Amino acid sequence: MSRANHPDDDVPNTPDDDIPLAPHEDPRTPDTGLRGDLVDTGREMADAYARDHHAWELAVGEVTRDDAGRPVAIGADLRSAELTPENGNAHTDAKSIRRLHGIPRYDPTVWRSDGEGWGPVADFYEHYWTNPPADQTEGGIFGLVLGPPGKGKSTLLRTCAQRFLECNGHRMGEAVVWRGAPSRSEWLPLAPWVRLILPARAEIDATLRPERPVDPVGRDPELGNFAREVVHYQGPVDALRKCRAGGINVVYPDPTFSHCQRLFESIPSRTVEPPAQRDDLFAPGDPTPHWWVALLLAAVDGRDRSTPLALIWDEIKDIAPDDAKKDAFGSYQKVHQLGGDLTADLRKRNVTLVGAGHGEVAVSARWRRKIHYRLHTAGRAVPTTDGAAPLGFGSTPFESNVNKGKDPGEGTLFSPENFEEVDWPNAADLMPSYSLQINTRDPIPRGSDGDEQPVATDGGEPI
């Protein structure tokens, strides 16, 4: 039995055993000594995906295919009362994720405001470049998800990824770009659908760390076993070009900052002075989180705006800290000046950015002033007076703390004028019993000032 490829696949149909969706080989090797149960969850996800896809083909029967024999995903009208075989039965990643993760089918009619117009949930999930429905806006949105640990923030972000695909991925080709970070791998439950995008010029170190300290650590695992596919990029614009339209893409930063300064110089409308003592705003040796500002520049100014883009960045304070200073690396200039200007243009450039964290005061004030929606999970109160309204919101829609007593997987989405109480599947059991730590390193040794350091010979003398 062969699996029909995803509509965006650019490879011909291949046997099931050849599809790089998730781990398939015995991970116990002399190099790692890794126990097989460390990847059981990944294998189960891959098997479930295959079963789900086969069941879909059996249920649909006759499938419309293109000239290459691939199934055609026909975008359904989100306002339709029902899905017909012509507009809704084509296989999509969004459907597979929804079934495996227990996410209910998105129904926009649930989220009507005051029984008439569309409320904030529809505006948050559905993105339109032209001719949006009444009471919704054109372009992207900037949202901030806040909540304490253990209240469902990570599961909410995975639900957002699925919803963006369901609402926009196969209707408009929206690509979801998940921020990869060495300290976390909450994207792993989405691994069977992920395109992993890594910097071509960086050294990549990967480690599997089990939850229990007594279990062995897996060194240098094969990353192709933890994603549908792995590709490499040359610079921030190329990273976005490598993203799968209508798919989930996990991007890791480039510590060499390849092509970042060239991109900045190609956009004369962005006038930001470099730090003192150097000519370039972006340079090798800069703090790696600065690379995400270059990616945001590529998203806003370096691509075709007709295709929407959704960025999901957990721990956004690491990218846009409020305490960024004018230092040797230009942290203030990149974070507050350039980044602050870029967030103002998200909506009109068809870019959605959903950041997340535990508290908002640690995030750059210039970024927070541009936020359209905030979502507070259980465990974080909502502002109940206009005087307590968060930065950028001149008012609050609340008369009482509607988040009081909520359980993990519940929260409230709000704008200055309106709010909706929401919930999502808090399926923490889908997280594997290990974390995948992927570190990207500059292959050239550099000092604390970012300058290249001399390399010692065997005799210890620098060369």
Side-chain angles (χ1 to χ4, degrees), residues 258-270:
S258 297
H259 301 283
C260 292
Q261 180 63 22
R262 183 185 303 175
L263 168 66
F264 175 67
E265 292 175 353
S266 71
I267 306 169
S269 61
R270 305 296 177 182

Side-chain angles (χ1 to χ4, degrees), residues 121-388:
V121 169
D123 200 33
F124 187 82
Y125 284 139
E126 301 176 32
H127 308 146
Y128 293 87
W129 181 229
T130 56
N131 302 319
D135 300 326
Q136 287 188 238
T137 52
E138 289 184 353
I141 60 102
F142 185 8
L144 182 63
V145 175
L146 297 174
K151 298 300 183 181
K153 181 162 56 69
S154 296
T155 53
L156 172 60
L157 294 181
R158 292 195 291 270
T159 299
C160 285
Q162 188 278 334
R163 289 297 193 219
F164 291 157
L165 292 193
E166 185 175 12
C167 295
N168 316 302
H170 300 279
R171 176 174 57 89
M172 299 176 62
E174 181 172 77
V176 174
V177 181
W178 187 291
R179 176 201 171 206
S183 59
R184 57 182 48 85
S185 54
E186 285 85 356
W187 58 269
L188 274 178
L190 301 172
W193 305 274
V194 160
R195 174 177 283 187
L196 185 59
I197 304 177
L198 304 174
R201 300 189 183 189
E203 291 183 350
I204 309 295
D205 293 330
T207 305
L208 279 174
R209 294 195 177 277
E211 288 181 348
R212 301 194 313 164
V214 297
D215 290 337
V217 173
R219 304 290 183 185
D220 296 323
E222 174 55 52
L223 293 179
N225 287 339
F226 298 92
R228 170 184 278 173
E229 58 185 328
V230 180
V231 299
H232 296 83
Y233 68 87
Q234 298 291 335
V237 172
D238 190 44
L240 295 180
R241 287 174 179 160
K242 295 291 174 63
C243 288
R244 180 189 293 278
I248 296 176
N249 308 272
V250 177
V251 178
Y252 279 79
D254 181 8
T256 73
F257 287 82
S258 297
H259 301 283
C260 292
Q261 180 63 22
R262 183 185 303 175
L263 168 66
F264 175 67
E265 292 175 353
S266 71
I267 306 169
S269 61
R270 305 296 177 182
T271 55
V272 178
E273 292 297 321
Q277 313 301 322
R278 75 183 209 189
D279 297 327
D280 295 338
L281 182 63
F282 293 95
D286 284 353
T288 303
H290 289 186
W291 183 86
W292 295 101
V293 179
L295 186 76
L296 190 61
L297 178 63
V300 172
D301 289 336
R303 67 183 191 92
D304 180 3
R305 299 195 298 270
S306 64
T307 301
L309 188 69
L311 311 175
I312 297 179
W313 291 357
D314 199 0
E315 297 301 340
I316 192 172
K317 68 175 178 58
D318 295 342
I319 301 170
D322 194 52
D323 60 358
K325 300 292 193 298
K326 288 187 176 181
D327 54 23
F329 305 108
S331 297
Y332 181 91
Q333 292 92 322
K334 293 195 195 83
V335 171
H336 298 309
Q337 293 181 337
L338 180 57
D341 287 346
L342 291 169
T343 54
D345 292 336
L346 291 173
R347 175 157 277 170
K348 67 181 180 181
R349 300 302 175 92
N350 215 8
V351 178
T352 287
L353 171 58
V354 175
H358 302 308
E360 75 167 65
V361 294
V363 180
S364 168
R366 293 201 181 189
W367 290 48
R368 285 184 282 136
R369 288 190 180 97
K370 317 303 194 313
I371 292 172
H372 303 121
Y373 290 103
R374 285 171 165 87
L375 197 159
H376 288 189
T377 71
R380 183 176 179 87
V382 298
T384 55
T385 65
D386 288 349

